[in-house]
Amino acid sequence: MADSSFDIVSKVDRQEVDNALNQAVKEISQRYDFKGTNASISWSGEKILMQANGDERVKAILDIFQSKLIKRGISLKSLDVEGEPQLSGKEYKLFASVQEGISQENAKKVAKAIRDEGPKGVKAQVQGDELRVSSKSRDDLQAVQALLKGKDFDFAIQFVNYR
């Protein structure tokens, strides 16, 4: 019998991120505490730009955006906020980006966790920006998924291509 396998990936649905961003724009435009503050959130190339006339307001915009991401089922681990709000002219700006793919270093961490704590006979191999886990037993694969769900990695993971 052939090995069963699944892939561990870190992907984000761009449309859902865009929907969360649009919902945040709508809430910012309607909220009383943002009236007349030039507060905004928008795409700036591949990054998300949040700006307002105070650093606390920029942090509030980030908080709104994060709550919208959570409601849309996107892990906050895939949102990479770049430091503290920076003063640029009269406005404070904050950039954030959406991380996709598992880096080689993070893939090695996951593979090591599977080797050390997972069932025997389970193989994990890095393939580009994803990780393929294979075994003769489907039960072992499900045990690996349960193990990884219990771990707290600093990046989001999903399981796909289960066969």
Side-chain angles (χ1 to χ4, degrees):
M1 186 173 137
D3 283 1
S4 300
S5 68
F6 68 89
D7 294 336
I8 301 172
V9 297
S10 181
K11 293 202 185 316
V12 176
D13 185 352
R14 297 295 267 196
Q15 186 60 51
E16 289 297 328
V17 174
D18 206 33
N19 291 343
L21 187 118
N22 290 335
Q23 287 179 339
V25 167
K26 189 172 183 181
E27 182 171 329
I28 290 166
S29 69
Q30 293 174 346
R31 276 189 33 179
Y32 180 77
D33 54 335
F34 287 116
K35 293 280 187 231
T37 62
N38 292 336
S40 68
I41 180 170
S42 62
W43 286 104
S44 175
E46 283 295 304
K47 296 185 178 184
I48 298 163
L49 169 64
M50 295 160 268
Q51 55 188 14
N53 63 359
D55 66 335
E56 291 301 318
R57 286 210 172 94
V58 174
K59 289 177 182 174
I61 292 170
L62 176 62
D63 190 46
I64 291 169
F65 183 55
Q66 287 175 334
S67 70
K68 300 300 180 190
L69 287 174
I70 290 170
K71 285 183 183 174
R72 293 226 153 257
I74 297 172
S75 172
L76 292 183
K77 292 178 181 178
S78 60
L79 185 69
D80 182 28
V81 179
E82 300 172 6
E84 290 293 310
Q86 300 294 320
L87 184 60
S88 173
K90 293 182 177 180
E91 303 240 311
Y92 282 87
K93 293 183 178 184
L94 182 63
F95 287 96
S97 57
V98 179
Q99 292 179 322
E100 287 195 296
I102 299 176
S103 68
Q104 291 289 331
E105 177 184 315
N106 289 338
K108 287 178 184 174
K109 284 182 194 173
V110 174
K112 183 175 179 348
I114 292 170
R115 255 193 328 274
D116 294 348
E117 301 173 37
K120 300 293 177 223
V122 175
K123 295 185 290 280
Q125 59 192 120
V126 179
Q127 295 181 336
D129 62 351
E130 58 185 46
L131 194 70
R132 164 89 28 104
V133 180
S134 58
S135 171
K136 293 203 180 307
S137 166
R138 287 179 175 236
D139 292 341
D140 287 351
L141 292 180
Q142 289 176 340
V144 167
Q145 285 184 353
L147 168 78
L148 294 178
K149 284 179 183 172
K151 292 259 183 227
D152 187 28
F153 295 109
D154 56 351
F155 53 96
I157 59 173
Q158 295 89 28
F159 306 113
V160 296
N161 294 341
Y162 188 79
R163 34 178 169 231

